[in-house]
Structure formats: structure tokens, C-alpha cells
Amino acid sequence: MIGRVIKGIGGFYFVHDGEKAVMGKARGNLKRNKELIYVGDIVDFEIDEHDCDNECVINRVVERRNFMTRPPVSNLDMLVVVFSVKEPDVNYPVIDKLLAGCELKGITPAVCITKKDLVSDEELEAAMEIYRDIYPVAAVDGSTGEGLEELREIIRGRNVALAGPSGVGKSTLTNLLHGDVPEADSETVEAQGRTGSFASIRTRVETGGISDKTGRGRHTTRHVEIFDLGDGTYLYDTPGFTSIDMPETEVTTVRELFPEMREPGQLCRYRDCLHINEPDCEVKEALERGGIHRSRYNSYLMMIEEVRKWKKL
């Protein structure tokens, strides 16, 4: 049988076959080969007929479209990068590095700005303007749900995860997207024992505030789990998803991770132009004209410098 791994805790995995979820373990050969199983994996599995609880055994993992090791998830269609302008204050280089990581891994990026009630309309518009012509953008008020339908439309029909600094409201967004999850503790609910529907292992996600000491958010999600939101939308809830592991790469690759630089970059005088000090650079011309936002360009420069440091190590 073929199913999707929707949750993993302590070496146990919940596999959903389209109708119900079954708990089980990896077959011995997967363990011996140290083959990891990620939440989101499509797996071949079978029910263990010798187990009175009808647990399953995972035989193999179907080839992944993409994967991340921290957190261990696979087969994402979209990553929504979440940030607030205030509480905590936005760090644009961190946000842009997350977006660049999506580009590198072939995952569609989107942007969601939270806590819109804490800033003026002008401040919110300034933040949205940076990304509006590059990625899908939504702004959501977590206390009222305003803007949530716009976010739902962006993620509809996709395997999606939320990422961003802690304390920006990712868990609040997850609960809002659930819509029907009751006010309850965040412990796992297994109303139907070791098997059941998606809903039987779905839980309300605990939310956390900002640490008074550090000014940063507190991590509240403890494990990776997929929630079925309906309409073919599956939300990966992940712990501490604040960055994307980016392998060592070339400085020329960084140019391609900023979509707004691709078209003007084709018009630069030099094919290997890095858009820094070279003459007749169309990207820098676009920057001066306002076609590329200054904060995005500064993030690009920081990433170029990071790659150069990697090369020296």
C-alpha cells in the first residue's frame, strides 16, 4: 500500500492512506541503512498481520521531490515565510535568506505579514511593497482573522509549511487555518486508538508569546505533523522552522535566488556580473530607479559575502 507520513515521534510514524492513519515503524533494512523517514514522505507500507493493534511496517520511501533536514520534512510545494513588522521587529536579511533557500530547493515561496494591528497602514504597506511584485503576499491579523482568506487562497491545493522567526505568530496562523479545532491542550488526541482519520490525530497547536528577556519568541511546536485543511491543502506544522539549511554554493548561484534580478541581469555588460562593482550593470541601474528594493539588494550583498567566507574556510 502507498501512503503519506503525516507525523513522526520517537521512531514511530503515522501513515495516512487516504482514508485512515495507521501507526507503525520502519522495516529493519531501512534502519540498517540508516535511511531517514521524513514527515511528508510517500511510502510503501503494509499492515503487520501479527500485530494485534494492526500497526504498519514501512518498506521503502518513494523518491522525494525535495526535502529539508531541519526540520525533517519532504515534498513541500510552498513555504510561507511569516514575519511581523513589530514584536518582534523584522530582520529582512533573515526573511530574504529563507526566501532564497526556497528558490534554491525548488519550493514556491510566499510571504505572510502578521500582527498588522500593531503597525500603521503606512508601515504595513511599506513592508508589503518590498515583496508584492515578487511573491504572493498576505497580511493577517491573528486576533481577528482579518486577511486569512487571502492567505487561504494563496496556499489552496498545496503541501505548505510556515517558516519564520519565533514569536511572529506561526502557531496562531496554524490554528486560524484549522478553523474547527476546539480550545484544548496541545497533547496528541487519539480518539480512535492507534488508527483513525486525519482528524483523530489533529490537535490544537500551542501558541507562545515574546520572551521579556530576549525580545524573541518562544518555540511552542514540539514535533512535525501534517494537518489536512481540506480542498487538497496540507499544512506541515514544524518546530523551530526559522532557517533553511543551504549547502555550499557559488556566488553566481546567489544571483539566481533573487527573482527580481534575473531579467535586468540579462542586460548587464558582463555575463558574469555580480551586480556589485562592475560597470554597465543593469541591476544597479534598476536599483537606482526603484525597480529593486534597497533592502533586498542589501540582503543579496550579505549572502554574497557569506558565500565568499564559506569558500575561504
Side-chain angles (χ1 to χ4, degrees), residues 146-160:
E146 181 184 357
L148 185 65
E149 288 308 310
E150 185 177 356
L151 178 60
R152 285 188 188 278
E153 193 58 37
I154 290 172
I155 68 174
R156 192 180 308 279
R158 301 175 186 263
N159 297 331
V160 61

Side-chain angles (χ1 to χ4, degrees), residues 268-284:
C268 292
R269 178 177 178 181
Y270 299 105
R271 291 178 60 86
D272 59 350
C273 183
L274 289 180
H275 320 313
I276 301 176
N277 298 314
E278 300 87 343
D280 299 326
C281 173
E282 188 62 27
V283 168
K284 289 164 61 180

